[in-house]
Amino acid sequence: MSVARELWTGVALDDQIQAASSNPVILDGQALAVWRGEEGPVRVWEDRCPHRGMRLSFGFVRGETLRCIYHGWTYATDGQCLAIPAHPTLAPPKTICASTYPSETRYGIVWTKLDGGSNGAALPDLGPDEGWEPVRSLFVHAAASPVLEALLNCDLGQQGPVHMVAENAAEVEIGPELRVLVAVHAMDDERTALHAVARGPRAASERAGLARRLERLRDDIERA
Amino acid sequence: MTVTTDPVALNQWVPCAWDGQIPVGGSLDTMIFGQPIHVQRTGEDSYRVAAVDGTTERELPVQVRYTCVFTTLGDTPRPLPEIAEFDEADRRITGCGNVGVNTSPYRLVENFLDMAHFAFIHTDVLGALDQTEVLAYRTEHRKEVDEIWAIDCTFYQPAASKAATGGQLTRYVYRVMSPFSVMLYKNVVTDPSRNDAICVFIQPKRETECLAYMPMAIVDEVSTVGDLIDFQQSIFLQDRVILENQRPALLPLDPTSELPTRADASSIAYRRWLKAMDIRFGILEKQAA
């Protein structure tokens, strides 16, 4: 499966992206820097400083700015370059801007899409944002399509049918009190990540058990 | 990859071993520009280098200078540069071995020319986080030798060399001697009238796979050779982390793909020079579609 560029894809669990950190993520072969300021939401940028191509996932965070490790060029949350330390008195031209992607945090998952426009489907709608607990992320050595197929036929334990809430996200109801959302994240033709969250009174207590069942799913896919 | 067909790259002398790396009578197999080569040490001061294609060998020219063994695949190579400091009797001449770096050779040259990263990558050694400014300097294309020079460079350095005992405003002159070699002159901590000479000669094995050699001719009566090499290698290893994480690894020559600032004047001059000589090896825009 090649990712439709206008499709929102879950690329990380929100609680995995620590405050004041920048992290490398690959989506459909594109290198992304997923970063968070000392407070505030997660941002998704191209993993490349426009100056000399250094990966911004190696960058460091000060306040709500991301700084490139190579020369300290400092970027605001909208990608605009604010400071070039080699020339402390220079106001950087507006043309110096990191490439940004849309990002939204919903249900404990960070979503992005490679097409920055307003084309394409909306984010999955599973009701209110509150109450979702992270389960875990898994990395599977397989393309996204067999992973999706396996997910549709998976057994998370005493469950109802798996239904797709987007082309690349599935929801499973396990009894009346537990819902699981799994985002399928195509990294490239050979690697797929799954990001799972759960909601309901049993979400926290079932977390370890759900994680083990997802690991079994991964093992089944990789053995197939 | 196959061997490059780029005549500009082929007609350069490049290092293929450091002098002393191979014991007398021994040999090593390596590569330049995608071409497998065999380097033999036939005597104390003599080497034989051959291009190897299956079972056939083609002997290549050899010269040993600046602590390195050089060879070329071209018929009309650009001559090796003259670096007078290596002939001064009181200089400490040392080679520092070689370091593998997975990127294009041009990223290495640009990193070496760059003062703006000192404060961030060589913090408290070659630069300080509270003194990051790169003052204006001049670049020249010296047409008579066809080299790129950057002159009147200055930068505050907390520990400019192994011999340094405190911070100083270091004066630099940079000299790009070929697409794959660059050097700098920096004023000696103990004798402001003289300059240390530090070179980087690059062996491009493939387009994004290099070995870097760092011959130095240093004025320092105190430090051991081991100290000098340790200092240089520790600096270089800090740079390697950066170099292997620049994207793309191939150098873009389109001036809109990476945005320079005044501090990058030497890199701008280097890229223009590369573009004018129409070099293709390791250049992003010159890749076959």
Side-chain angles (χ1 to χ4, degrees):
Chain A
M1 179 182 97
S2 177
V3 176
R5 294 181 62 86
E6 63 274 13
L7 189 65
W8 287 97
T9 301
V11 293
L13 292 179
D14 186 59
D15 88 324
Q16 290 172 326
I17 308 300
Q18 301 199 354
S21 77
S22 186
N23 309 268
V25 165
I26 297 170
L27 171 58
D28 197 25
Q30 304 270 319
L32 308 176
V34 176
W35 72 279
R36 191 198 295 278
E38 288 174 14
E39 43 198 83
V42 171
R43 319 275 169 177
V44 179
W45 290 6
E46 185 184 3
D47 196 3
R48 195 181 78 87
C49 177
H51 173 220
R52 283 295 177 256
M54 183 61 199
R55 287 184 184 279
L56 288 172
S57 57
F58 280 68
F60 55 103
V61 173
R62 290 289 181 273
E64 298 306 303
T65 65
L66 178 60
R67 301 192 185 182
C68 179
I69 195 173
Y70 197 178
H71 300 97
W73 287 28
T74 302
Y75 298 94
T77 52
D78 62 356
Q80 180 64 49
C81 183
L82 296 177
I84 295 175
H87 303 299
T89 59
L90 176 83
K94 288 282 176 221
T95 49
I96 301 179
C97 207
S99 290
T100 65
Y101 296 104
S103 60
E104 294 283 345
T105 301
R106 191 182 285 188
Y107 311 131
I109 294 175
V110 177
W111 307 80
T112 191
K113 56 179 185 170
L114 297 175
D115 179 341
S118 53
N119 305 327
L123 278 163
D125 185 358
L126 284 73
D129 192 26
E130 292 74 38
W132 291 88
E133 300 282 339
V135 176
R136 68 162 293 177
S137 293
L138 284 119
F139 298 88
V140 188
H141 280 278
S145 49
V147 172
L148 270 166
E149 202 171 308
L151 187 60
L152 280 170
N153 298 303
C154 73
D155 176 16
L156 295 183
Q158 313 211 327
Q159 67 187 51
V162 179
H163 53 269
M164 302 301 292
V165 294
E167 273 180 61
N168 57 5
E171 189 195 17
V172 190
E173 291 192 35
I174 303 171
E177 293 193 328
L178 186 60
R179 294 160 73 197
V180 179
L181 170 63
V182 183
V184 179
H185 160 193
M187 298 168 69
D188 53 34
D189 291 343
E190 293 168 352
R191 293 179 296 171
T192 304
L194 298 175
H195 308 285
V197 291
R199 187 175 198 273
R202 285 162 49 217
S205 61
E206 294 285 335
R207 180 176 180 163
L210 285 170
R212 270 197 299 280
R213 289 196 181 252
L214 287 167
E215 286 160 22
R216 231 169 283 152
L217 174 70
R218 175 188 60 194
D219 295 346
D220 291 344
I221 297 166
E222 290 182 347
R223 263 200 300 271
Chain B
M1 73 172 258
T2 50
V3 186
T4 187
T5 55
D6 177 4
V8 183
L10 290 173
N11 279 300
Q12 306 291 333
W13 287 95
V14 292
C16 58
W18 48 273
D19 190 18
Q21 182 178 2
I22 306 168
V24 174
S27 68
L28 70 77
D29 293 306
T30 182
M31 182 175 279
I32 53 172
F33 302 111
Q35 170 68 58
I37 61 170
H38 188 66
V39 184
Q40 277 176 281
R41 188 170 185 191
T42 50
E44 189 58 40
D45 299 313
S46 58
Y47 291 84
R48 179 181 177 276
V49 180
V52 181
D53 291 296
T55 53
T56 62
E57 288 202 351
R58 172 169 59 100
E59 196 160 341
L60 300 175
V62 188
Q63 49 180 319
V64 181
R65 287 183 79 180
Y66 311 131
T67 76
C68 295
V69 181
F70 289 89
T71 190
T72 179
L73 294 169
D75 296 324
T76 53
R78 173 196 179 96
L80 273 179
E82 293 305 320
I83 309 171
E85 287 74 12
F86 281 79
D87 298 325
E88 292 175 12
D90 66 339
R91 292 272 173 171
R92 306 283 295 277
I93 309 291
T94 175
C96 302
N98 59 29
V99 179
V101 187
N102 288 324
T103 191
S104 60
Y106 317 110
R107 296 280 192 196
L108 271 152
V109 171
E110 289 198 334
N111 171 263
F112 191 81
L113 290 172
D114 176 42
M115 288 179 283
H117 78 289
F118 287 165
F120 294 93
I121 304 303
H122 311 299
T123 312
D124 298 335
V125 182
L126 300 185
L129 283 170
D130 58 353
Q131 298 196 51
T132 56
E133 183 165 16
V134 175
L135 300 171
Y137 60 91
R138 291 193 295 133
T139 62
E140 295 175 352
H141 177 201
R142 298 198 174 168
K143 293 203 170 61
E144 68 284 5
V145 284
D146 192 23
E147 295 182 349
I148 301 294
W149 285 62
I151 57 177
D152 299 336
C153 307
T154 50
F155 203 78
Y156 174 78
Q157 301 198 313
S161 69
K162 192 66 210 172
T165 52
Q168 64 163 10
L169 201 61
T170 306
R171 294 191 311 277
Y172 277 89
V173 171
Y174 290 96
R175 177 181 172 197
V176 185
M177 304 175 286
S178 81
F180 310 122
S181 63
V182 59
M183 68 171 292
L184 62 80
Y185 303 92
K186 68 190 282 188
N187 61 290
V188 172
V189 170
T190 51
D191 180 356
S193 70
R194 304 185 73 192
N195 291 313
D196 282 339
I198 301 172
C199 309
V200 175
F201 287 95
I202 300 164
Q203 175 186 348
K205 295 170 76 177
R206 297 184 173 88
E207 288 192 296
T208 58
E209 188 181 338
C210 296
L211 287 173
Y213 300 73
M214 287 168 289
M216 306 189 293
I218 302 281
V219 180
D220 179 341
E221 291 171 1
V222 180
S223 304
T224 66
V225 169
D227 288 342
L228 296 174
I229 292 173
D230 278 353
F231 182 84
Q232 207 58 31
Q233 287 193 340
S234 67
I235 295 294
F236 199 84
L237 292 177
Q238 292 172 335
D239 286 319
R240 186 169 74 170
V241 178
I242 299 299
L243 287 164
E244 295 192 339
N245 285 289
Q246 284 175 277
R247 293 292 177 274
L250 296 164
L251 189 74
L253 288 182
D254 177 340
T256 62
S257 48
E258 293 183 352
L259 305 175
T261 185
R262 286 201 308 270
D264 300 306
S266 52
S267 148
I268 294 166
Y270 175 58
R271 289 187 188 195
R272 278 199 194 123
W273 184 64
L274 292 173
K275 194 168 192 171
M277 71 174 73
D278 195 29
I279 198 163
R280 301 198 307 266
F281 176 86
I283 300 295
L284 181 68
E285 291 87 357
K286 304 287 184 178
Q287 302 301 299

XYZ file of all heavy atoms in Angstrom, chain A residues 31 47-56 58 60 67-73 84-90 93 95-97, chain B residues 107 110-111 114 116-117 120-121 132-135 241-248 257-264 267-268 271:
510
model
N 11.227 11.114 5.653
C 11.769 11.296 7.000
C 11.118 12.516 7.649
O 11.141 13.610 7.090
C 13.278 11.465 6.929
N 12.145 16.196 8.104
C 13.328 15.997 8.948
C 14.572 16.561 8.252
O 15.520 15.827 7.956
C 13.507 14.505 9.251
C 14.460 14.276 10.413
O 14.918 15.271 11.013
O 14.748 13.095 10.709
N 14.559 17.851 7.987
C 15.631 18.442 7.187
C 15.666 19.936 7.439
O 14.690 20.635 7.199
C 15.352 18.186 5.702
C 16.509 18.409 4.761
C 16.073 18.144 3.319
N 15.313 19.266 2.815
C 15.865 20.343 2.233
N 17.168 20.406 2.063
N 15.113 21.335 1.817
N 16.803 20.403 7.915
C 16.978 21.845 8.070
C 17.196 22.450 6.685
O 18.015 21.951 5.915
C 18.179 22.133 8.982
S 18.546 23.898 9.161
N 16.479 23.522 6.356
C 16.616 24.083 4.999
C 17.986 24.691 4.724
O 18.310 24.966 3.582
C 15.516 25.154 4.946
C 15.104 25.404 6.337
C 15.432 24.184 7.136
N 18.802 24.835 5.747
C 20.113 25.453 5.571
C 21.097 24.513 4.885
O 21.501 24.731 3.754
C 20.633 25.907 6.944
C 22.035 26.418 6.933
N 22.931 26.121 7.940
C 22.695 27.202 6.056
C 24.081 26.716 7.675
N 23.969 27.372 6.535
N 21.433 23.401 5.572
C 22.391 22.465 5.010
C 21.914 21.009 5.130
O 22.712 20.078 5.152
C 23.769 22.634 5.684
C 24.532 23.875 5.174
C 24.891 23.723 3.708
N 25.550 24.855 3.103
C 24.952 25.715 2.271
N 23.649 25.608 2.014
N 25.628 26.675 1.700
N 20.588 20.818 5.216
C 20.019 19.475 5.109
C 20.162 18.597 6.351
O 19.859 17.410 6.297
N 20.638 19.167 7.471
C 20.787 18.340 8.683
C 19.417 17.903 9.195
O 18.437 18.651 9.134
C 21.515 19.155 9.769
C 21.792 18.382 11.047
S 22.852 16.924 10.775
C 22.495 15.996 12.274
N 19.360 16.675 9.710
C 18.106 16.161 10.267
C 17.679 16.975 11.482
O 18.439 17.116 12.449
C 18.294 14.714 10.734
C 18.399 13.710 9.640
C 18.474 12.321 10.271
N 18.671 11.286 9.293
C 17.686 10.757 8.556
N 16.456 11.174 8.713
N 17.947 9.814 7.688
N 16.457 17.476 11.455
C 15.944 18.237 12.601
C 15.542 17.334 13.758
O 15.319 17.810 14.867
C 14.770 19.120 12.162
C 15.193 20.333 11.302
C 13.973 21.044 10.738
C 16.044 21.309 12.118
N 17.599 15.535 15.112
C 18.762 15.657 15.991
C 18.745 16.997 16.717
O 19.641 17.276 17.505
C 20.061 15.582 15.175
C 20.489 14.195 14.797
C 19.756 13.447 13.883
C 21.635 13.631 15.340
C 20.146 12.164 13.523
C 22.031 12.347 14.982
C 21.294 11.619 14.079
N 17.559 20.404 19.008
C 17.266 20.561 20.434
C 16.203 21.623 20.614
O 16.085 22.550 19.808
C 18.537 20.847 21.253
C 19.348 22.026 20.797
C 19.287 23.223 21.496
C 20.186 21.947 19.694
C 20.044 24.319 21.100
C 20.947 23.046 19.285
C 20.877 24.229 19.990
N 15.716 23.936 17.447
C 16.980 24.439 16.920
C 17.752 23.311 16.255
O 17.852 22.205 16.801
C 17.824 25.032 18.051
C 17.075 26.158 18.731
C 17.949 26.953 19.643
N 17.125 27.942 20.343
C 17.613 28.830 21.186
N 18.895 28.852 21.443
N 16.819 29.682 21.776
N 18.291 23.610 15.090
C 19.100 22.615 14.381
C 20.411 22.423 15.140
O 21.048 23.396 15.562
C 19.369 23.080 12.956
S 20.383 21.906 12.037
N 20.836 21.168 15.271
C 22.047 20.903 16.049
C 23.301 21.411 15.347
O 24.304 21.710 15.994
C 22.166 19.388 16.346
C 23.194 19.147 17.443
C 22.485 18.602 15.095
C 23.246 17.708 17.920
N 23.247 21.534 14.008
C 24.480 21.817 13.257
C 24.947 23.260 13.476
O 26.102 23.507 13.814
C 24.231 21.521 11.782
C 25.451 21.364 10.898
C 25.312 21.055 9.548
C 26.758 21.508 11.387
C 26.413 20.894 8.714
C 27.854 21.352 10.560
C 27.681 21.055 9.231
O 28.764 20.888 8.390
N 24.039 24.218 13.266
C 24.429 25.625 13.386
C 23.503 26.421 14.294
O 23.581 27.646 14.339
C 24.426 26.289 12.001
C 25.364 25.651 11.023
N 24.947 24.720 10.094
C 26.701 25.786 10.848
C 25.989 24.326 9.375
N 27.064 24.951 9.808
N 22.584 25.730 14.978
C 21.728 26.412 15.942
C 20.622 27.260 15.333
O 19.995 28.048 16.051
N 20.370 27.124 14.037
C 19.265 27.897 13.441
C 17.988 27.541 14.192
O 17.708 26.371 14.456
C 19.134 27.600 11.946
C 20.225 28.207 11.112
C 21.513 28.483 11.517
C 20.150 28.604 9.735
N 22.231 29.029 10.476
C 21.433 29.117 9.371
C 19.140 28.580 8.773
C 21.704 29.590 8.093
C 19.425 29.053 7.495
C 20.692 29.564 7.157
N 19.642 33.094 13.465
C 20.813 32.439 12.891
C 22.001 32.851 13.757
O 22.462 33.990 13.670
C 20.998 32.870 11.420
C 19.814 32.373 10.581
C 22.331 32.375 10.874
C 19.828 32.846 9.136
N 22.480 31.976 14.634
C 23.502 32.388 15.610
C 24.792 32.930 14.990
O 25.465 33.738 15.626
C 23.774 31.102 16.401
C 22.496 30.329 16.290
C 21.983 30.611 14.909
N 25.107 32.527 13.747
C 26.318 33.062 13.114
C 26.192 34.566 12.861
O 27.200 35.247 12.708
C 26.593 32.331 11.799
N 24.947 35.046 12.811
C 24.707 36.485 12.584
C 23.651 36.966 13.571
O 22.476 37.098 13.232
C 24.269 36.716 11.136
C 25.249 36.201 10.147
N 26.544 36.668 10.066
C 25.163 35.209 9.231
C 27.197 36.006 9.129
N 26.385 35.113 8.606
N 24.061 37.197 14.816
C 23.097 37.457 15.897
C 22.201 38.667 15.648
O 21.081 38.706 16.156
C 23.988 37.685 17.121
C 25.295 37.071 16.785
C 25.443 37.176 15.298
N 22.666 39.638 14.864
C 21.848 40.840 14.674
C 20.990 40.768 13.413
O 20.202 41.671 13.151
C 22.736 42.098 14.598
O 23.650 41.928 13.510
C 23.513 42.288 15.884
N 21.146 39.699 12.648
C 20.403 39.575 11.387
C 18.995 39.054 11.652
O 18.810 38.076 12.375
C 21.149 38.598 10.473
C 20.491 38.263 9.134
C 20.798 39.340 8.099
C 20.957 36.906 8.631
N 15.525 36.166 6.767
C 14.504 36.414 5.748
C 13.327 35.453 5.906
O 13.502 34.317 6.362
C 15.237 36.132 4.430
C 16.675 36.036 4.754
C 16.818 35.790 6.212
N 11.908 33.852 3.787
C 12.020 32.681 2.906
C 12.660 31.488 3.613
O 12.579 30.374 3.109
C 12.881 33.031 1.689
O 14.077 33.664 2.160
C 12.162 33.961 0.742
N 13.327 31.728 4.762
C 13.947 30.612 5.466
C 12.919 30.013 6.421
O 12.582 30.589 7.452
C 15.218 31.054 6.222
C 16.221 31.639 5.213
C 15.829 29.875 6.963
C 17.504 32.117 5.844
N 12.435 28.858 6.039
C 11.309 28.256 6.734
C 11.444 26.733 6.655
O 11.697 26.199 5.574
C 10.036 28.711 6.013
S 8.605 28.745 7.055
N 30.196 17.240 1.049
C 29.693 17.556 2.394
C 30.866 17.650 3.373
O 30.863 18.490 4.287
C 28.703 16.482 2.857
C 27.410 16.382 2.023
C 26.422 17.451 2.404
N 25.093 17.240 1.855
C 24.172 18.203 1.800
N 24.427 19.412 2.268
N 22.987 17.956 1.297
N 32.720 20.970 2.752
C 31.952 22.115 3.269
C 31.982 22.185 4.794
O 32.057 23.261 5.372
C 30.496 22.022 2.797
C 30.350 22.307 1.320
C 28.932 22.640 0.929
O 27.998 22.187 1.630
O 28.755 23.346 -0.067
N 31.929 21.010 5.424
C 32.006 20.979 6.890
C 33.350 21.542 7.360
O 33.430 22.290 8.348
C 31.803 19.543 7.371
C 32.080 19.377 8.852
O 33.170 18.979 9.249
N 31.092 19.689 9.677
N 33.563 25.338 7.284
C 32.479 25.997 8.006
C 32.894 26.384 9.423
O 33.222 25.522 10.235
C 31.295 25.019 8.041
C 30.120 25.540 8.840
O 29.808 26.730 8.713
O 29.534 24.747 9.592
N 30.732 28.304 11.325
C 29.497 28.550 12.078
C 29.091 27.359 12.947
O 28.287 27.521 13.864
C 28.361 28.906 11.117
N 29.629 26.166 12.666
C 29.237 25.005 13.476
C 30.143 24.797 14.685
O 29.842 23.973 15.545
C 29.193 23.730 12.623
C 30.546 23.132 12.334
N 31.467 23.704 11.491
C 31.124 21.990 12.783
C 32.554 22.945 11.437
N 32.374 21.903 12.221
N 28.540 24.860 18.119
C 27.488 23.875 18.387
C 28.002 22.435 18.389
O 27.542 21.607 19.167
C 26.358 24.031 17.361
C 25.655 25.355 17.520
C 26.039 26.467 16.797
C 24.657 25.498 18.473
C 25.434 27.695 16.986
C 24.040 26.719 18.673
C 24.430 27.822 17.928
N 28.944 22.132 17.520
C 29.412 20.751 17.380
C 30.721 20.531 18.139
O 30.982 19.440 18.646
C 29.557 20.393 15.885
C 28.224 20.641 15.160
C 30.012 18.948 15.704
C 27.033 19.891 15.746
N 28.947 32.951 19.064
C 28.635 32.168 17.871
C 28.795 32.958 16.577
O 28.646 32.400 15.493
C 27.176 31.675 17.947
O 26.317 32.818 18.109
C 26.967 30.726 19.113
N 29.087 34.253 16.687
C 29.079 35.088 15.488
C 30.236 34.753 14.546
O 31.379 34.566 14.979
C 29.157 36.568 15.874
C 29.077 37.472 14.659
C 28.795 38.928 15.013
O 28.964 39.285 16.203
O 28.422 39.685 14.106
N 29.924 34.667 13.267
C 30.955 34.526 12.240
C 31.134 35.894 11.590
O 30.226 36.405 10.932
C 30.564 33.471 11.186
C 31.592 33.440 10.055
C 30.439 32.096 11.833
N 32.302 36.490 11.805
C 32.554 37.815 11.247
C 32.789 37.704 9.741
O 33.164 36.651 9.232
C 33.768 38.443 11.949
C 33.582 38.617 13.461
C 34.889 39.046 14.124
C 32.480 39.647 13.757
N 29.114 12.534 12.909
C 27.699 12.357 13.261
C 26.827 13.293 12.431
O 25.763 12.912 11.942
C 27.486 12.628 14.767
C 26.023 12.488 15.127
C 28.349 11.712 15.605
N 27.300 14.519 12.276
C 26.568 15.483 11.449
C 26.570 15.046 9.986
O 25.524 14.958 9.335
C 27.216 16.883 11.575
C 27.170 17.372 13.018
C 26.572 17.871 10.612
C 25.794 17.526 13.583
N 27.757 14.762 9.499
C 27.919 14.492 8.059
C 27.055 13.335 7.594
O 26.539 13.351 6.477
C 29.389 14.185 7.777
C 30.306 15.408 7.846
C 31.763 14.985 7.947
C 30.087 16.268 6.611
N 26.896 12.335 8.444
C 26.138 11.157 8.018
C 24.639 11.358 8.212
O 23.857 10.456 7.907
C 26.642 9.917 8.764
C 28.090 9.618 8.362
C 28.599 8.272 8.819
O 28.031 7.701 9.773
O 29.580 7.787 8.219
N 24.228 12.526 8.679
C 22.803 12.787 8.867
C 22.336 14.043 8.145
O 21.303 14.615 8.493
C 22.471 12.861 10.360
C 22.473 11.476 10.969
O 21.574 10.682 10.706
N 23.503 11.149 11.732
N 23.082 14.425 7.124
C 22.597 15.475 6.224
C 21.870 14.805 5.060
O 22.319 13.775 4.552
C 23.769 16.301 5.684
C 24.327 17.284 6.682
C 25.569 17.977 6.137
O 26.672 17.456 6.209
N 25.384 19.159 5.562
N 20.727 15.382 4.687
C 19.947 14.837 3.577
C 19.682 15.905 2.540
O 19.258 16.995 2.901
C 18.608 14.264 4.098
C 18.772 13.045 4.992
C 19.277 11.839 4.186
N 19.522 10.673 5.034
C 20.654 10.419 5.698
N 21.670 11.261 5.629
N 20.765 9.328 6.420
N 19.853 15.605 1.258
C 20.406 14.343 0.777
C 21.915 14.272 1.021
O 22.550 15.301 1.237
C 20.106 14.393 -0.724
C 20.102 15.861 -1.037
C 19.570 16.553 0.178
N 17.825 24.811 -3.314
C 17.488 23.630 -2.517
C 18.024 23.705 -1.085
O 17.463 23.087 -0.187
C 17.908 22.342 -3.211
O 19.199 22.435 -3.673
N 19.095 24.462 -0.869
C 19.563 24.704 0.505
C 19.873 26.196 0.608
O 20.419 26.779 -0.320
C 20.795 23.851 0.824
C 20.464 22.363 0.864
C 21.649 21.478 1.245
O 22.778 21.974 1.336
O 21.412 20.272 1.457
N 19.493 26.785 1.745
C 19.536 28.245 1.853
C 20.721 28.698 2.694
O 20.748 28.479 3.904
C 18.228 28.742 2.483
C 16.963 28.281 1.754
C 15.720 28.719 2.515
C 16.929 28.820 0.324
N 21.719 29.318 2.078
C 22.895 29.751 2.828
C 22.713 31.141 3.434
O 21.790 31.875 3.089
C 23.972 29.784 1.750
C 23.238 30.149 0.499
C 21.833 29.588 0.644
N 23.630 31.485 4.325
C 23.694 32.841 4.840
C 25.122 33.361 4.660
O 25.960 32.659 4.077
C 23.225 32.879 6.308
O 23.178 34.225 6.747
C 24.135 32.074 7.212
N 25.400 34.583 5.120
C 26.723 35.180 4.853
C 27.874 34.299 5.328
O 28.910 34.235 4.691
C 26.831 36.542 5.541
C 26.046 37.662 4.880
C 26.612 39.020 5.309
N 26.715 39.160 6.752
C 25.757 39.650 7.529
N 24.625 40.051 7.010
N 25.939 39.759 8.836
N 27.683 33.639 6.448
C 28.744 32.792 6.996
C 29.117 31.655 6.053
O 30.191 31.063 6.169
C 28.310 32.218 8.351
N 28.219 31.353 5.106
C 28.460 30.259 4.163
C 29.128 30.734 2.877
O 29.094 30.028 1.869
C 27.129 29.573 3.816
C 26.447 29.007 5.045
O 27.100 28.234 5.764
O 25.273 29.352 5.298
N 31.285 28.152 1.234
C 30.512 27.058 0.650
C 29.837 27.498 -0.645
O 29.784 26.739 -1.626
C 29.488 26.572 1.686
O 28.313 26.118 1.094
N 29.355 28.737 -0.678
C 28.723 29.265 -1.893
C 29.753 29.305 -3.030
O 29.482 28.869 -4.156
C 28.144 30.673 -1.623
C 26.991 30.587 -0.618
C 27.673 31.324 -2.925
C 26.592 31.940 -0.027
N 30.509 25.731 -4.206
C 29.448 25.153 -5.042
C 29.442 25.775 -6.440
O 29.241 25.068 -7.432
C 28.078 25.317 -4.370
C 27.920 24.426 -3.150
C 26.502 24.447 -2.585
N 26.469 23.724 -1.315
C 25.361 23.313 -0.703
N 24.171 23.566 -1.242
N 25.422 22.665 0.447
